[in-house]
């Protein structure tokens, strides 16, 4: 099938699914176009953050790399609250640990509390469900679908279950999904419908009925097991993602501003939707358009080239372009902790090797000695007490949208040495969360664009 025909087929499928979702999903209030999910640090002894705070710096960095590598594999594939009947914007609690931002919500008629990893690279939202065949350990009770009167399984004649070769298939009159990731991450379960409650305050919640989600009965090799997280809150452009399902309520727009990871002081962090997104100061905003491709629903943007220490590198125009086989390109992903630069040869040039050679030459010219780090990062150097002349990068996106990464967000600083916080991208180049710190990021899917601006995220 030609690329153009595949693209048309994918777009028609997306439009059909979105149309059906928007007619099926109901909301307790009268069609608000703003929604906010609030993120706060959770420092309870059972939370992932509590564990991170008690890790050494080296242990934290090693875990950063483990989670980033798991995400790289992923690329290849107690209170009951009442409904909110006003048009006011919501303030919904989230939790943030040292590695992840997680959405906190209630699901089902019993108001089961769940925490889900907020992932702009994920599609289907899923959580572990009872009855469970093989569930990973989690610190919150597992959602019990049999106890909810608002739970329904997705019909086999639903469009999601009608696409050949997709993640959904009909088995014994049940629409079953399977996500099988390279590296061993695996989850499968029943595609379902349920009511989601996003708490605004202790007594009210925004209520969305009949949202499609995954009721996972068998999940293995999950990187966030033994935490309060029980699944994924998918925010990419797949028709089954919550971004797509809630698009008519949010104008297909969402935004966040990530507080710096090393800062362990609790700060409020919010995931904003629709009209609740603050206006950008015109003099600071940068805009680049999304690059759309068939069967790829991540937030791809056109990376033209990169500057090292303000020197623009002469990469060929095709270096970071999305290729016919679906590899290459550059996308933005909050669930990808460290930025990855593709290390495949394109036109005889390996962009990752070029950048690492520049870092090596620069720091060795400053008489710094190479060292190793337990994290496995490739580029680490001993740090003299009086050295502060660290490198910076600028990603030049289409539309003259220059994305500056300052030294403190380009490196990680364990004791007595430092490392360049960039990993090898086996399939694509990815702008990860570490390099998104103190940036206001706005995903405007309706207008097909990404906007960003420097901001002190602690004030969000």
């Amino acid at each position: 099938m030609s690329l153009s025909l595949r693209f048309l087929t994918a777009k028609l499928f997306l439009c059909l699914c979105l149309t059906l979702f928007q007619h099926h999903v109901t909301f307790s209030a009268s069609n608000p176009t703003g929604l906010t999910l609030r993120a706060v640090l959770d420092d309870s002894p059972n939370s992932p953050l509590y564990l991170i705070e008690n890790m050494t710096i080296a242990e934290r960095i090693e875990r950063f790399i483990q989670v980033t590598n798991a995400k790289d594999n992923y690329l290849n594939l107690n209170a009951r609250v009442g409904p909110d009947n006003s048009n006011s914007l919501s303030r919904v609690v989230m939790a943030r640990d040292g590695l992840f931002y997680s959405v906190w919500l209630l699901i089902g008629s019993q108001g089961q509390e769940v925490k889900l990893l907020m992932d702009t690279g994920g599609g289907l939202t899923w959580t572990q469900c009872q009855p469970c065949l093989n569930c990973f350990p989690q610190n919150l009770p597992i959602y019990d679908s049999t106890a909810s009167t608002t739970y329904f399984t997705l019909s086999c004649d639903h469009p999601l279950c009608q696409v050949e070769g997709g993640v959904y298939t009909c088995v014994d009159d049940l629409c079953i999904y399977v996500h099988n990731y390279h590296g061993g991450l695996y989850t499968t379960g029943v595609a379902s419908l349920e009511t989601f409650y996003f708490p605004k305050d202790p007594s009210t919640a925004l209520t969305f009925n009949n949202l499609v989600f995954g009721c996972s009965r068998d999940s293995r090799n999950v990187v966030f097991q033994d935490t309060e997280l029980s699944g994924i809150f998918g925010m990419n452009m797949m028709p089954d993602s919550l971004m797509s399902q809630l698009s008519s309520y949010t104008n297909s727009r969402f935004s966040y501003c990530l507080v710096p990871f090393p800062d362990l002081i609790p700060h409020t962090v919010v995931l904003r939707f629709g009209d609740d997104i603050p206006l950008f100061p015109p003099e600071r905003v940068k805009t680049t358009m999304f690059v759309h491709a068939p069967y790829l629903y991540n937030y791809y943007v056109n990376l033209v080239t990169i500057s090292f220490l303000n020197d623009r590198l002469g990469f060929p125009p095709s270096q970071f372009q999305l290729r016919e086989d679906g590899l290459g390109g550059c996308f933005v992903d909050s669930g990808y902790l460290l930025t990855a630069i593709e290390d495949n040869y394109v036109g005889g040039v390996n962009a990752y090797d070029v950048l690492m050679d520049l870092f090596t030459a620069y720091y060795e010219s400053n008489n710094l000695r190479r060292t190793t780090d337990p994290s496995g990062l490739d580029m680490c150097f001993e740090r003299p007490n009086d050295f502060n002349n660290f490198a910076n990068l600028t990603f030049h996106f289409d539309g003259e949208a220059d994305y500056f990464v300052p030294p403190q967000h380009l490196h990680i600083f364990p004791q007595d040495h430092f490392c360049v916080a960039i990993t090898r991208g086996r399939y694509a180049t990815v702008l990860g969360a570490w390099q998104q710190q103190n940036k206001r990021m706005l995903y405007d899917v309706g207008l097909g664009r990404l906007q960003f601006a420097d901001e002190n995220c602690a004030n969000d």
Side-chain angles (χ1 to χ4, degrees), residues 9 27 116 134 136 140 148 153 159 180 234 244-245 250 258 286 302 328 352 365 374 376 386:
T9 301
F27 180 55
L116 306 176
N134 185 64
F136 58 87
L140 289 176
S148 175
T153 58
N180 199 354
S244 296
Q245 293 189 65
T250 64
L258 299 184
K286 304 292 179 65
N302 184 19
Y352 178 83
S365 72
D386 59 348

Side-chain angles (χ1 to χ4, degrees), residues 261-301:
F261 278 96
D263 189 353
L264 292 177
I265 300 173
H267 285 296
T268 297
V269 181
V270 292
L271 175 62
R272 300 178 183 271
F273 294 85
D275 294 338
D276 196 47
I277 299 173
L279 295 176
F280 282 96
E283 67 276 9
R284 291 196 295 115
V285 65
K286 304 292 179 65
T287 302
T288 189
M289 305 305 291
F290 291 130
V291 176
H292 297 287
Y295 306 117
L296 295 176
Y297 298 96
N298 287 327
Y299 296 102
Y300 281 87
V301 288

Side-chain angles (χ1 to χ4, degrees), residues 136-395:
F136 58 87
Q138 65 178 64
N139 293 339
L140 289 176
I142 297 176
Y143 161 76
D144 187 353
S145 62
T146 64
S148 175
T149 59
T150 53
Y151 171 84
F152 301 96
T153 58
L154 203 65
S155 169
C156 280
D157 59 8
H158 190 280
L160 286 174
C161 242
Q162 298 294 310
V163 179
E164 293 185 15
V167 299
Y168 299 91
T169 186
C170 187
V171 179
D172 296 330
D173 293 326
L174 290 175
C175 186
I176 303 296
Y177 65 89
V178 177
H179 283 286
N180 199 354
Y181 311 105
H182 288 219
L185 180 59
Y186 168 92
T187 187
T188 185
V190 180
S192 306
L193 300 169
E194 185 55 286
T195 298
F196 282 37
Y197 303 91
F198 295 98
K200 294 180 61 176
D201 55 52
S203 61
T204 59
L206 292 173
T207 305
F208 294 90
N209 301 312
N210 298 320
L211 289 177
V212 174
F213 81 110
C215 194
S216 283
R217 305 289 170 81
D218 186 352
S219 302
R220 311 181 188 197
N221 303 318
V222 179
V223 295
F224 47 77
Q225 63 182 1
D226 293 312
T227 73
E228 293 186 340
L229 302 181
S230 62
I232 298 291
F233 189 88
M235 289 293 294
N236 72 9
M237 291 184 282
M238 285 288 291
D240 56 359
S241 76
L242 286 184
M243 193 290 301
S244 296
Q245 293 189 65
L246 300 178
S247 60
S248 62
Y249 303 108
T250 64
N251 290 331
S252 299
R253 302 167 73 240
F254 68 94
S255 175
Y256 55 78
C257 194
L258 299 184
V259 173
F261 278 96
D263 189 353
L264 292 177
I265 300 173
H267 285 296
T268 297
V269 181
V270 292
L271 175 62
R272 300 178 183 271
F273 294 85
D275 294 338
D276 196 47
I277 299 173
L279 295 176
F280 282 96
E283 67 276 9
R284 291 196 295 115
V285 65
K286 304 292 179 65
T287 302
T288 189
M289 305 305 291
F290 291 130
V291 176
H292 297 287
Y295 306 117
L296 295 176
Y297 298 96
N298 287 327
Y299 296 102
Y300 281 87
V301 288
N302 184 19
L303 176 60
V304 178
T305 190
I306 300 172
S307 286
F308 180 86
L309 284 172
N310 302 317
D311 291 331
R312 199 175 180 102
L313 305 180
F315 287 115
S318 61
Q319 187 71 48
F320 301 106
Q321 288 182 356
L322 191 60
R323 301 188 289 275
E324 283 275 342
D325 59 4
L327 301 181
C330 174
F331 65 89
V332 184
D333 190 341
S334 67
Y336 219 108
L337 293 179
L338 302 182
T339 287
I341 303 295
E342 187 185 5
D343 71 344
N344 295 313
Y345 281 88
V346 179
V349 177
N350 185 306
Y352 178 83
D353 288 345
V354 168
L355 278 178
M356 293 303 107
D357 287 346
L358 289 170
F359 280 111
T360 299
Y362 174 71
Y363 286 122
E364 288 184 349
S365 72
N366 283 273
N367 300 315
L368 302 187
R369 293 190 300 178
R370 289 285 296 272
T371 188
T372 59
D373 186 87
S375 67
L377 283 168
D378 289 345
M379 191 64 55
C380 299
F381 292 88
E382 296 178 358
R383 181 185 181 183
N385 291 332
D386 59 348
F387 182 80
N388 289 293
N389 194 20
F390 297 99
N392 60 67
L393 286 182
T394 301
F395 293 90

Side-chain angles (χ1 to χ4, degrees), residues 58-77:
E59 289 171 335
R60 293 178 198 170
I61 295 173
E62 184 173 3
R63 192 172 172 199
F64 277 134
I65 305 304
Q66 291 172 350
V67 176
T68 295
N69 289 340
K71 185 68 178 181
D72 193 44
N73 291 326
Y74 168 79
L75 167 63
N76 195 37
L77 298 156

